[in-house]
Amino acid sequence: MIELLLKEDKEISAYDIVTTKTVTSELFYVLNKLETDRHTENNDTTVYIYVDHDGYRGSSTFVVNAADDEDSLKQKILDAKATASKINNKYFDLVMPSDIKPEKIVSIETDDLNSIALRCMDMIVEADHFDNVWINSTEIFVTKKMTRFKNSLGVDLEYTKTTLEVELIPTSRNSSGEEFELYLDLVQIDDDFTKVKRAVEDILQNALYRADAIAYDSETMPYTYASITNDMLVTAISSIKNDLNYMNVLQKSNHYKINDEVVPYDLSIKMLPMIDGVSSSCPFDESGIVLKETDIVKGGKVTSYWGSNRFGQYLNEKPKGSFKTFEVSVENDRRIEDPNGSYMELINFSSPQLDPSSGYFGGEVRLALYHDKDGNITPVTGLSLSGNIYEALVNAYYSKEDKIYRNCKAPKKIYFEDIQLH
């Protein structure tokens, strides 16, 4: 009904309609005991309308609810038109239908979402084999989401994706009886439960390290390199990708421009619609652009900007699209197993921070591992990191091993010389 009403309204210049159907299976455990088994099914429709006036293209959004009838929809359209007619955005064209076939998203293939959740929990229980640490609570979400995008110019795209998410809180106790908590949030797009087991074992081991951690002492813990991983690594490397977004370029807040050198070695960042195992993979963006592989950094230099349909047109570029997934690759000469000598492995931050305007990044480190020159490992806490990401990457090294993160594939660790621990 909604599309018919939009087509009939001559005051509406254009429209987008995004429809999603979401089915979930959700399990909630306390101390490995099932407390809640929940199943949900939701249908959501979001409508974007555009009203052209005085050379501008105003826009407004509303949500279609299950309770809406023709009268309520007409009122929502009327309200949205009134709002859009007051918005003075520079004119831009909507996306036209593309000859490019959207890439297929490879994800969990089953309609029995509950079986995936239960098998996942079996693997979590199998991973819970450490002494002096236990899992306080576990939440498992298996989500099948079907998304369809249509606009008034004839674009009609859809895809389906099923993801598995695990959130759990391990608690450890040291010899003095003090208890410490960490947090795991794992999202994957496949049903390889060995990944879940490894992630749970890692967080349980880290919880034990946290319980035994001693205060950082700069005099007794000299280091040449400090490494980052997990959330801080993604935050740091995403700063380069985000810097090259059309919006930042348009607002002149970007640090790098086309042909600028990011690093003096072969670092590449590639925007992709789909990466095996990356849960944020998506074949088209929110404006209906079918996404295709785009290099934004190659050989250490900026090769392209990227971003939404609207802001790409404002920059007089053919819009690349708003990607959710990217891949980072580095030349072999910058890949190492572990640094020679002592180094600090920063594992868990309370709140990773990065200011794109200055390049400052850092935060309080809840858990680190100090590797001395003889290979001994000491858990450490009570320290913080600070540095400039634009400067630190110039002399950085990277682990030989790559890791699949929620939104990218990248080296598992980055080793820095030019950062400070205090």
Side-chain angles (χ1 to χ4, degrees), residues 187-204:
V187 184
Q188 62 185 63
I189 201 172
D190 56 50
D191 55 1
D192 182 353
F193 300 109
T194 60
K195 294 179 183 177
V196 176
K197 183 180 180 181
R198 287 197 299 269
V200 174
E201 288 176 332
D202 285 346
I203 197 71
L204 291 174

Side-chain angles (χ1 to χ4, degrees), residues 43 64-69:
N43 291 282
V64 178
N65 299 316
D68 281 326
D69 56 17

Side-chain angles (χ1 to χ4, degrees), residues 257-277:
K257 298 178 176 61
I258 300 294
N259 295 322
D260 279 358
E261 182 179 84
V262 178
V263 292
Y265 51 85
D266 188 1
L267 169 74
S268 295
I269 301 177
K270 183 180 298 185
M271 311 302 293
L272 292 163
M274 166 74 191
I275 300 176
D276 286 344

Side-chain angles (χ1 to χ4, degrees), residues 326-385:
F326 66 100
E327 181 177 68
V328 180
S329 57
V330 190
E331 66 178 60
N332 288 334
D333 287 349
R334 307 299 297 191
R335 299 273 198 163
I336 59 175
E337 289 289 353
D338 275 320
N340 293 323
S342 58
Y343 73 98
M344 189 72 76
E345 181 182 0
L346 308 177
I347 294 177
N348 186 275
F349 287 77
S350 60
S351 179
Q353 300 174 20
L354 192 146
D355 175 27
S357 60
S358 65
Y360 165 83
F361 76 110
E364 180 185 351
V365 182
R366 298 181 66 190
L367 174 64
L369 298 179
Y370 179 65
H371 300 252
D372 69 20
K373 59 183 178 59
D374 297 320
N376 301 309
I377 296 176
T378 302
V380 181
T381 191
L383 68 159
S384 58
L385 158 72

